[in-house]
Amino acid sequence: MSSKQPRWTQTWLGGVRSAGVDLGYPGERLGLPREGSGSVAGFGRRIGALLIDWLICTWAITQGLLRIDATAAPWVPVLVLAAEYLLLVGTMGMTFGMRLLGVRVAALGGGAPGFVSVLVRTFLLCLAVPALVWDRDQRGLHDRAANTVVVRL
């Protein structure tokens, strides 16, 4: 076996990049820059923004403002999160957590996403699983279905 060829376990476990296939950087196929403003937001920023939003919706709004025990009615924080996403992403293109971590939701054609895109994206995000399945441009299934991408500010 040639030393230039990776072992079959390396290509299987590491994906096609470990086999030497160049897929480009995330967002290249979408016409986005490699880094800086307008580039695809990384996994850490996206998860961090979602965590901040979840804490705001669970503690500050559900328990603090509405005085509802989130353990007794676990669906209420999800509805509050959905309302936050519909309102804020639909009007400003970002939530509180996204703003704090410097990311926003953009339509693939540029600019702010439309209401239907935000509605589809929010519904699938609340289901959780579609947001955990990513493509090589770091877009979850919820972004793909809504024709959106999360980019850095």
Side-chain angles (χ1 to χ4, degrees), residues 24-43:
Y25 61 88
E28 183 175 16
R29 295 182 311 151
L30 305 173
L32 301 174
R34 180 183 295 267
E35 53 189 43
S37 181
S39 65
V40 173
F43 182 72

Side-chain angles (χ1 to χ4, degrees), residues 62-104:
T62 302
Q63 292 180 347
L65 189 63
L66 300 176
R67 304 259 186 237
I68 297 173
D69 183 15
T71 58
W75 52 271
V76 174
V78 177
L79 289 179
V80 172
L81 182 74
E84 178 200 24
Y85 267 75
L86 286 173
L87 179 67
L88 297 179
V89 174
T91 58
M92 300 185 321
M94 67 185 90
T95 62
F96 297 121
M98 290 178 182
R99 179 67 183 124
L100 286 172
L101 294 181
V103 298
R104 69 179 176 87

Side-chain angles (χ1 to χ4, degrees), residues 5-148:
Q5 293 292 325
R7 291 180 30 187
W8 71 272
T9 54
Q10 290 171 326
T11 59
W12 178 68
L13 294 173
V16 293
R17 289 187 197 269
S18 65
V21 176
D22 181 22
L23 298 176
Y25 61 88
E28 183 175 16
R29 295 182 311 151
L30 305 173
L32 301 174
R34 180 183 295 267
E35 53 189 43
S37 181
S39 65
V40 173
F43 182 72
R45 287 179 189 246
R46 293 177 66 152
I47 289 295
L50 182 62
L51 180 63
I52 290 168
D53 290 329
W54 183 253
L55 292 174
I56 289 170
C57 291
T58 302
W59 288 344
I61 298 174
T62 302
Q63 292 180 347
L65 189 63
L66 300 176
R67 304 259 186 237
I68 297 173
D69 183 15
T71 58
W75 52 271
V76 174
V78 177
L79 289 179
V80 172
L81 182 74
E84 178 200 24
Y85 267 75
L86 286 173
L87 179 67
L88 297 179
V89 174
T91 58
M92 300 185 321
M94 67 185 90
T95 62
F96 297 121
M98 290 178 182
R99 179 67 183 124
L100 286 172
L101 294 181
V103 298
R104 69 179 176 87
V105 178
L108 282 184
F115 178 73
V116 174
S117 293
V118 173
L119 185 66
V120 168
R121 186 180 188 282
T122 300
F123 175 74
L124 293 174
L125 179 69
C126 288
L127 293 178
V129 174
L132 297 174
V133 179
W134 294 47
D135 66 6
R136 72 182 198 197
D137 291 315
Q138 297 182 2
R139 294 172 57 215
L141 290 178
H142 64 303
D143 281 322
R144 289 182 60 92
N147 288 323
T148 59

